[in-house]
Structures are given as structure tokens and as C-alpha cells.
């Protein structure tokens, strides 16, 4: 049945019946607003919007995976501040002819990604729209930690990465050219594997700056460099090109380092740490902070494509 | 210049430069996430989405008023829980050809409505989209008060209203028929006057249930009746039909009580109070809670139109 057939309130009932609520949810969906525990007396909040045709395609990804990715994009922003995600709110705009089952699968994906990191979907809104649009807001609790902004990197700091980069971009390129394999890359595009625990862990270890890699590693390190008033140099040899990516790059005539260094959507975390920091498992050094401005690769500007601008 | 010409980051810079930040904003826009004070150790959160052609029309309302209304719809949800609004996050999807100036005016309207109630715009996201869409999330602080849900009304309670109903619906009807006056009604549609302080005040006075009137008074009281397991009777004589509304209703062949009792979008607040409550200025009794189920007007079902379903 279509969403128009089920109706707004019917669809909201169907979706909320599929969700589960953790102990931080003091009042869940169904009222004017939700009430979420914020034991730290501060709340971390971030919003991201996904638009069909621009951030996802229904012929490339199923509803469940689109839901997981919509949630992941926001949850990654919260852990990139060093916070523990607590709640999501979802504004969903759907064509009236879309099936209610598609929306239920989307909700399942959002709910699964949230509950995997201890967060719950606590509220939202739905409307018909010609353009399928998913706007998610994530909330988080700092548990006493200092929020890790983009602005604290200092010359001498290590630059380290948790999670992978370039896989989703490679999967996107593969799908754009009409292929459905290699599976490793296509699945990475469909469902990012965000290194959630690495964010709060970095905050506890004294990370001086941190960012969710969503515009591409060099572009996002550029945001850190600008906010911190420093330069960042990345070592190309710190990145492995996995065989599937190497083969796909060769077949498609692409430089795999363009994927690794400028591809977004894997939602890795990049952070600066004081030089004496012993990094835990999951974090690997990829560069250094120096005095100056801008981002370089092995001391020189990278001549690949720049990051993503959502209006161009 | 168009938003595509300015670019995503350029437009974000233009918008954030126009905003101001209150003392609750510990970290504002420009990082992965914002950090907002939540001194109560609980945070109230609500999301609403406005879609062009469905919730607003650019030929009926200017960008500034659309911004005020987008913010008002969310801030009203927060005060309807008895909380003080602290922050807004805004996900904005705009056609690439829209002028950057339109977006700036929208941001000014959102910022003005927020700052009028002590809240700040702390973050957001922007994307191009064929459909102009504004998703707003509002956060609030309960300041030690018990959240006032829809579920606590008890037989014998008074039903009271703060703010006005039917004005926005009348303005919408007037605009739909191609008129631009009476100004009172058209302006009420363009820019709701939400009785913000009445929400926290009602919570302090012991309101047993409260709701933001956005689907229409009878529909929203129906949500309270269902959640509370009670019946609600509304007195028709409690409502004044202002002369401009009476004249417009006569000219258009509409029952003005259909506007007053079933029109949304004024964002009045309706609440139940224990019967001995002395209501302060701004709140007026409009009915009673009884045992049973459903909502009646002077003891009988209202035979006007039902509330609004955003898929129909």
C-alpha cells in the first residue's frame, strides 16, 4: 500500500511500532516533543540531510541501507565530537505513491544503525513531497569529556585515521559506470562502517582536534587546518590500496589515491593527537601537523579532484 | 546570485554570519556538531519539516516570514512540553537556481523567531534539491519542570487555550481564493503569533496535559483525549468570531467555526488544568474533561471538516 493510502498518522504508527527505546529515552515519539537524558548537562547536536538523486539512488541501494547510511552520517558527526550518541530525530519527505513497506524498511535501517551505537529514534515528522528527502538530527552526551572541535590541532601533533576512506567513493564510481561489483566497494558505498567507538576513545586519549570524514579526507583535513591555524601533511604510504580497489581503479582508469584521499561517505574519523600519544587499535598515523596553512601530500599539493560541494 | 553560484560552503558562511548566539550555545555552527547547555540534564527535542507547495508558497509568503513560521512550528512544540527553547538546527534543501538572498532572508526569519524566545540557531545542513524543503529541529530545557505530555488529562479538568485558532486557516482560505485581504487573517497565516511564555507557565501551574495546536483544535484535543483516556467537550461560546473573520467567512461561504475549531497553523497551546486552577492572563477556559472518549462541541460531534493529513 502507498504512503498516501496508509495516511500520515497510520504511517507514523507503523514506523514507531518497529522502533525500540533505550534507557536514555525519557519520553519517546507520539507527543509534541521527545525528552532525552542529557546527564552531562550539555547536549551535542548535528543535522544532515539526504536528498534522492544527490545523496542516494533507490536503484543503487535498498531502503534498509539508505536508512543505515542516513543515520550513520549523523551519528558519525556526534562521535567526531567525542560524544556518545543518544537519540535521533528524523524528518521524512516521501512521494505519496511510495510504498509504506519501503518507509518501514528505511525506519528499520535507521533504527538498527542507531541501536548499534546505543541511540534511539525518539521523534520525527513526515510529509508528502515530490522529492524523497531524509533529514536526520543526532543528539549525544559528552559524559564529562571536553568536546573535540576542529580547532585544537597544534604543530607537532600526529594526524591519525580511524576507519577507511575511498571505499564508498570507489563503490559510487563503480555504480556510476553501470557495474555492480566488486562487492567490497559497492557494499561500502551502500552501508558505511563507521568506527563509532574510536570517537569517544580519541577524546579520552586527549585528541586535540577531530573531524568526521564526509567531504573527503584532504578537504576535511583542510577544515581542521583552517580552524586550527596550522598546516597538515599526509603521507601517501600510510594508505594501502586493497586489491579490489586497485583492480577497479585500473579497469576504470582512475587513480586509486583520488578515492582514498578525496572520497567522502565512508565516515572515517580523522584526528590530531599530541606527538607522544600511544594510539590504540583502530587508529593509525597518516600524517603530521606543522606550522603554516593548507594540506599537502608528501609535502606537495595533491593534484586530484577537490572535495564535494552539494550545490555543484 | 544563485545558491549554486555561491556554493555550499559560501552559503553556509553567509548564513552563519547573520546569526547570533545566546549563552546556552557552548559551540555553535562550523564544527561536526554543536554543543548546547542542558542544565536540567534532560533535553526536549522536536522536528518538523516544511515542504514548498504543501506547507508554504513563495508567492504567498516572503522568505523572512517562511523562516519565522518554520521556526515557530518547532519552538511551539518545545514550549508545549513546558520547556524553554534553547536551540534550533536547520536542514535546508534548495533548488540550485534559488537566489542566495532568499536563503539569507529565510535565515533572518528563523534567527529572529528563535532569538525572540531565547534560542539560537546552532547548526544545520544544506543541499540542493528540486523541492524547497526546510526541516527544523528544536531543543529545549525543562528547568526542573515535569514535562507536560498529552497523556495526563483527568475527568473534571478544565480545558484552556492560549493564543488564537482559526486565523491562519482563514488566511490560507483567503489566499487560496486569490485574495490578499483581510490583512489580519493573511498576516496570521504568514507569521503565527505563538504564545511562547504560556507553555512553561502552564507547566509551573500544574497543567496535566498540553499540546501545540497544529492539526486543528478538535483534532489536537482528540490526541489529548486518546492519550489521556478521557473525553473532552468544547464550548462554542468560548470563541469570539472577530469581525474580519466573520465578514471573510460570509463572503467566502465558510462557517467561521470550522476555521476556529479545525484550523491549524496558528500554533496556539491547548492544555488541561485541575479544576481549581486560577488561570493567568493569556489562558482562557474553552471546555471540560469528562469520562469517556472523543471530542465534542457543546455535547455533540462537530460536523465540520476533520484535521489535516499531510499525505492526503
Amino acid at each position: 500500500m502507498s504512503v498516501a493510502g496508509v495516511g500520515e498518522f497510520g504511517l507514523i504508527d507503523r514506523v514507531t511500532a518497529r522502533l525500540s527505546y533505550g534507557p536514555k529515552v525519557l519520553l519517546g515519539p507520539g507527543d509534541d516533543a521527545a525528552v532525552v537524558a542529557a546527564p552531562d548537562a550539555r547536549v551535542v547536536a548535528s543535522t544532515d540531510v539526504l536528498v534522492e538523486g544527490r545523496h542516494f539512488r533507490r536503484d543503487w541501494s535498498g531502503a534498509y541501507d539508505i536508512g543505515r547510511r542516513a543515520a550513520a552520517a549523523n551519528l558519525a558527526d556526534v562521535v567526531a565530537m567525542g560524544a556518545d550518541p543518544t537519540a535521533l530525530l528524523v524528518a521524512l519527505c516521501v512521494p505519496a505513491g511510495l510504498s509504506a513497506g519501503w518507509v518501514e524498511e528505511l525506519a528499520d535501517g535507521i533504527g538498527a544503525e542507531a541501536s548499534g551505537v546505543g541511540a534511539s529514534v525518539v521523534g520525527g515528522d513526515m510529509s508528502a513531497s515530490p522529492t524523497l528527502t531524509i533529514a536526520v538530527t543526532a543528539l549525544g552526551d559528552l559524559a564529562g569529556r571536553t568536546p573535540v572541535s576542529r580547532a585544537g590541532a597544534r604543530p607537532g601533533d600526529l594526524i591519525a585515521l580511524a576507519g577507511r576512506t575511498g571505499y564508498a567513493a570507489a563503490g559510487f564510481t563503480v555504480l556510476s559506470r553501470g557495474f555492480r561489483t566488486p562487492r567490497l566497494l559497492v557494499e561500502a558505498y551502500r552501508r558505511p562502517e563507521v568506527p563509532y567507538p574510536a570517537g569517544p576513545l580519541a577524546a579520552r586519549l586527549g585528541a586535540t582536534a577531530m573531524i568526521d570524514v564526509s567531504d573527503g579526507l584532504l578537504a576535511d583535513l583542510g577544515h581542521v587546518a583552517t580552524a586550527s591555524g596550522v598546516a597538515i601533511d599526509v603521507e601517501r604510504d600510510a594508505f594501502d590500496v586493497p586489491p579490489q580497489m586497485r583492480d577497479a581503479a585500473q579497469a576504470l582508469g582512475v587513480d586509486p589515491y583520488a578515492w582514498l584521499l578525496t572520497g567522502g561517505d565512508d565516515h572515517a574519523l580523522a584526528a590530531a593527537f599530541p606527538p607522544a600519544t600511544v594510539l590504540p587499535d583502530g587508529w593509525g598515523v597518516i600524517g603530521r601537523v606543522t606550522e603554516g596553512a593548507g594540506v599537502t601530500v608528501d609535502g606537495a599539493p595533491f593534484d586530484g579532484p577537490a572535495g564535494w560541494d552539494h550545490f555543484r
Side-chain angles (χ1 to χ4, degrees), chain A:
Chain A
M1 187 178 276
S2 72
V3 296
V6 174
E8 181 184 7
F9 295 117
L11 191 57
I12 290 172
D13 286 347
R14 283 192 186 201
V15 164
T16 52
R18 303 171 82 88
L19 299 170
S20 60
Y21 307 103
K24 292 274 173 66
V25 183
L26 307 178
L27 183 68
D31 221 292
D32 289 303
V35 184
V36 181
D40 176 89
R42 297 170 295 178
V43 61
V44 170
S46 178
T47 291
D48 272 296
V49 63
L50 277 69
V51 177
E52 182 172 32
R54 189 157 275 270
H55 301 92
F56 64 90
R57 283 175 53 162
R58 270 184 281 162
D59 57 339
W60 285 4
S61 301
Y64 183 83
D65 283 349
I66 292 169
R68 290 198 75 128
R69 191 140 71 85
N74 282 273
L75 295 166
D77 282 326
V78 167
V79 300
M81 301 304 291
D84 302 314
T86 54
L88 295 181
L89 298 101
V90 183
L92 184 59
C93 306
V94 295
L98 191 70
S99 83
W102 194 95
V103 175
E104 290 173 331
E105 282 179 40
L106 178 85
D108 287 348
I110 294 172
E113 192 76 15
S115 64
V117 66
S120 310
V121 179
V122 298
D125 191 18
M126 287 195 197
S127 176
S129 170
T131 308
L132 181 52
T133 305
I134 309 161
V136 181
T137 300
L139 306 181
D141 187 77
L142 284 159
R145 297 183 288 271
T146 301
V148 185
S149 77
R150 304 174 175 185
R154 293 166 302 204
D157 282 353
L158 308 170
I159 293 290
L161 185 72
R164 57 196 192 182
T165 63
Y167 285 62
F172 177 87
T173 307
V174 164
L175 287 163
S176 304
R177 305 283 181 93
F179 300 102
R180 291 291 181 274
T181 57
R183 193 173 170 79
L184 174 75
L185 305 179
V186 169
E187 287 301 311
Y189 166 77
R190 289 188 175 139
R191 194 184 299 186
E193 290 180 15
V194 183
Y196 295 114
L201 181 59
R204 282 196 293 273
L205 282 171
T208 55
M210 185 154 50
I211 193 164
D212 158 48
V213 179
S214 55
D215 292 327
L217 181 62
L218 298 184
D220 285 313
L221 289 177
H223 299 320
V224 171
T226 301
S228 299
V230 298
I232 291 173
D233 186 57
V234 171
E235 299 158 26
R236 193 180 171 102
D237 284 350
F239 295 84
D240 286 326
V241 182
Q244 294 97 323
M245 189 185 290
R246 188 191 58 220
D247 295 347
Q250 195 160 23
L252 299 172
V254 174
D255 175 4
Y257 286 94
W259 287 333
L260 289 164
L261 296 175
T262 71
D265 281 338
D266 290 294
H267 297 292
L269 297 173
F273 292 91
T277 308
V278 178
L279 294 178
D281 281 354
W283 282 97
V285 174
I286 60 162
R288 295 269 169 187
V289 180
T290 62
E291 296 195 12
V295 177
T296 49
V297 179
D298 295 336
F302 184 70
D303 58 2
W308 186 248
D309 183 320
H310 287 106
F311 289 125
R312 285 177 173 144

